[in-house]
Amino acid sequence: MPKIITDQNLRLLIDTLVGEGKRVIGPKAAGTLTLYEPLASAEELSLGELPRRSAKETFFPLCENILTYEKSSSGTTVHDIDPARFPETVLIGARPCDVAAAPVLDAIFSWDFKDEFFLERRRKTTIIGLACTTADDACFCTAVGLSPADTRGSDLFLTPLAGGSYRCDVISDKGEALLAAHAGLFAETDTAEPVSLAEPQLGPLDLDRIKAWLDTHFEDPLWEEIAARCAGCGACAFLCPACHCFDISDEGSEKQGARRKHWDACGFGKFTYHASGHNPREVQPHRYRNRIMHKFKYYHDKFGQRLCTGCGRCIRACPVGIDIAQIIDDINRK
Amino acid sequence: MTNTAHTIDTALYDAVTDALRAEAKKVLESGTAAAVIGWQAGRRRGSAVPAIVTDPADAEKLIFSPSCVNNLALYLTKAKKEVREKGKLAVVAKGCDMKALAGLMGENQLKRDDVYIIGVACAGVYGPAIRGNAPLDDGTLARKCRECAAELPEGADVSLGTVPRRPAFTPHEAAELARLEAMTPAERWAFWKEHFSRCIRCYACRQVCPFCYCEQCLCDRNRPQAVETTPRPAGNMAWHMVRAMHLAGRCAGCAECERACPMDIPLNLLNRKMAKELKELYGHEAGFQAKEKGPLAEYREDDNQSFIK
């Protein structure tokens, strides 16, 4: 049975969680843009704009130490990072396209190697998703089987109601527990009407048909047509909620330093550059092909999921206007 | 409310589009070039994207509009070898893009005879996130265009269109530069530190820059590591300083780095500052003429050395 929470009580919930010492992450104004960042108080919550970067950083930071070292006359000391010390977190006001990426990422980070850094943060995070009331012409969640009200990955899900309150649906046990712990802030549902939700332009695409085409078109003139203009930056991958490639770098001096895990991107020319000097993805069309194949074929082959949630960030950010929605739409018509 | 006194007449763009299609068709049919690099409409309303046209029949796809923001000189560099392999290239160039082409010729990255340049008169392009049929005015014009003096490219093989009388816009970059210069060094340091703290090292700034054609970027080196590659304050600051120094006197002012930055870092402000320094110290600025060597690539007895303290 859904509950109702007023905007005032939602903000009270944030302040209460912050007061309890939890890390509360939500959309926050940061200069000219909005980012998912830790909130010091409910006042900082800014729900108007889609954050420029996705919410994946809640579990998969842009850059994190995985160990540090110090050298002294008595030898070298290595300090492991203890994931048990990661804070309890509530991610609030995250868009369905961001939240739906969390279960997609679970698959890769818990596959043959269990990535404790990611998994521990995931275990400790409760996600309160928020339905979208606006969409621009880069939004295409509807094309990849999601919607502005998709609850996939959320623990609690908010739908804006006329008058400023939210309907709150419980999606998981984690959500149930959070709601139970703050039951006083929620009321029983009444007849309040949801406000109209966003309507992205693209209708559902036949993702199986797209995959079937990709299965047989590793070589195709399409890759050259689309990707000769790709500039080879990592903006699409870095802003994507589902892209998860990372590199590991050792940085520091001979006295002290850190081993760091940080985002990487298949668009970069050096991404597949071998120590031998050979690069199996020599030119940009090969690299961009990998991006599409990974999202709509390889990830499905391996994990039965698609590596794209239709947030449109790659489309908005691409300096040369590469439009993944158009590409899969075109493939769907082939 | 639109301030008509500060609105640019956009009829120019339709006239250039017609001329551009005819020129591209002629160039491809005559074999003057194997491919024409221009812009075509994108899926999103009013958007334009780079296009590489090889079939004369596709010349009809080409457009010129205030959404044609890209500097296409990028596709003539060795960073885009798959494009260069198509054969002799024709490229469409706005004034600011023409300066980049001249710079690449000066640096022996491009031979004048190997490229056919279709210059287009340009009254300005849109700033970030503006598309569609928005009027080109105070609110929508890209910052770099407000004080542009390169509306007509010089040195092209053919020039299309004439620039309408443009209203005088309040300069943005000069004003921002003045604001920056009025700061104390500590304030300036804080200003850039704050901006660079947002950098995610996606390298969109590097990848869209026609002058960032190095096959081995210093910032990708890890044995030994010259600049920290992780998106943290020290490496970010170092990366942007390295880039500013490398571009000093070379940057043509297309502001593609700033446009491409997903984190809204005002990178062209840094480039403008460096360009100003180079002009004051060496009387050098990027222009339409290919110069063999920039001031930081040559030594002269009479070089200004006042900055050595």
Side-chain angles (χ1 to χ4, degrees), chain A residues 212-235:
Chain A
W213 188 86
L214 294 174
D215 282 341
T216 52
H217 291 80
F218 187 76
E219 299 293 349
D220 193 87
L222 178 76
W223 306 121
E224 171 73 15
E225 279 166 37
I226 303 164
R229 69 176 195 268
C230 175
C233 74

Side-chain angles (χ1 to χ4, degrees), chain B residues 189 196 201 218-219 226-228 232-245:
Chain B
W189 183 254
F196 295 151
R201 305 294 278 279
L218 182 75
C219 293
V227 169
E228 287 199 354
R232 299 173 67 259
N236 290 355
M237 183 64 83
W239 156 240
H240 288 289
M241 290 203 292
V242 163
R243 211 181 98 82
M245 289 306 292

Side-chain angles (χ1 to χ4, degrees), chain A residues 199-212:
Chain A
E199 289 180 24
Q201 291 166 1
L202 271 180
L205 298 181
D206 186 342
L207 299 175
D208 290 332
R209 184 183 159 85
I210 292 167
K211 187 177 138 27

Side-chain angles (χ1 to χ4, degrees), chain B residues 94-122:
Chain B
K94 307 185 286 289
C96 48
D97 309 342
M98 186 66 214
K99 288 186 188 173
L101 291 170
L104 289 172
M105 287 172 207
E107 294 179 15
N108 295 317
Q109 296 303 308
L110 194 60
K111 287 198 181 81
R112 183 65 188 86
D113 291 343
D114 288 349
V115 59
Y116 185 81
I117 302 170
I118 305 171
V120 287
C122 173

Side-chain angles (χ1 to χ4, degrees), chain B residues 10-281:
Chain B
T10 47
L12 155 75
Y13 298 86
D14 294 335
V16 171
T17 297
D18 291 340
L20 174 59
R21 289 172 179 173
E23 182 65 22
K25 189 163 182 279
K26 197 172 81 188
V27 163
L28 292 170
E29 278 175 346
S30 65
T32 305
V36 176
I37 303 169
W39 304 272
Q40 69 181 40
R43 174 184 66 95
R44 301 175 75 198
R45 187 178 56 88
S47 67
V49 301
I52 301 166
V53 173
T54 51
D55 183 344
D58 288 338
E60 287 301 303
K61 290 182 183 169
L62 294 172
I63 61 166
F64 186 55
S65 77
S67 296
C68 296
V69 292
N70 303 76
N71 180 350
L72 304 171
L74 173 72
Y75 297 100
L76 301 181
T77 67
K78 66 185 173 206
K80 300 297 294 177
K81 42 178 157 321
E82 69 272 25
V83 179
R84 279 166 73 135
E85 279 165 7
K86 291 180 191 300
K88 181 170 173 177
L89 300 170
V91 66
V92 186
K94 307 185 286 289
C96 48
D97 309 342
M98 186 66 214
K99 288 186 188 173
L101 291 170
L104 289 172
M105 287 172 207
E107 294 179 15
N108 295 317
Q109 296 303 308
L110 194 60
K111 287 198 181 81
R112 183 65 188 86
D113 291 343
D114 288 349
V115 59
Y116 185 81
I117 302 170
I118 305 171
V120 287
C122 173
V125 296
Y126 291 135
I130 313 283
R131 284 175 290 108
N133 301 314
L136 200 55
D137 60 22
D138 258 337
T140 60
L141 190 65
R143 292 196 292 231
K144 65 169 177 175
C145 305
R146 302 177 71 89
E147 48 216 285
C148 173
E151 300 147 298
L152 278 170
E154 284 171 28
D157 290 287
V158 58
S159 281
L160 312 176
T162 47
V163 186
R165 252 188 69 195
R166 273 169 40 114
F169 292 96
T170 317
H172 170 87
E173 291 186 330
E176 276 294 281
L177 255 185
R179 190 170 77 85
L180 202 70
E181 286 170 343
M183 292 179 185
T184 64
E187 287 168 341
R188 269 205 295 275
W189 183 254
F191 173 89
W192 287 114
K193 207 167 145 183
E194 193 274 325
H195 278 299
F196 295 151
S197 71
R198 286 200 307 279
C199 174
I200 55 176
R201 305 294 278 279
C202 69
Y203 293 117
C205 51
R206 177 180 75 183
Q207 296 304 113
V208 295
C209 178
F211 291 102
C212 271
Y213 53 72
C214 292
E215 281 171 303
Q216 174 67 68
C217 174
L218 182 75
C219 293
D220 286 333
R221 288 197 71 91
N222 56 6
R223 271 177 44 169
Q225 186 181 64
V227 169
E228 287 199 354
T229 53
T230 60
R232 299 173 67 259
N236 290 355
M237 183 64 83
W239 156 240
H240 288 289
M241 290 203 292
V242 163
R243 211 181 98 82
M245 289 306 292
H246 277 189
L247 286 174
R250 303 168 68 223
C251 171
C254 70
E256 281 287 88
C257 49
E258 179 170 304
R259 180 185 70 82
C261 178
M263 291 294 114
D264 294 359
I265 302 173
L267 293 166
N268 200 43
L269 183 55
L270 194 56
N271 295 336
R272 290 302 87 218
K273 174 64 180 164
M274 297 308 288
K276 193 176 166 197
E277 294 277 319
L278 268 281
K279 191 176 177 192
E280 284 168 5
L281 285 168

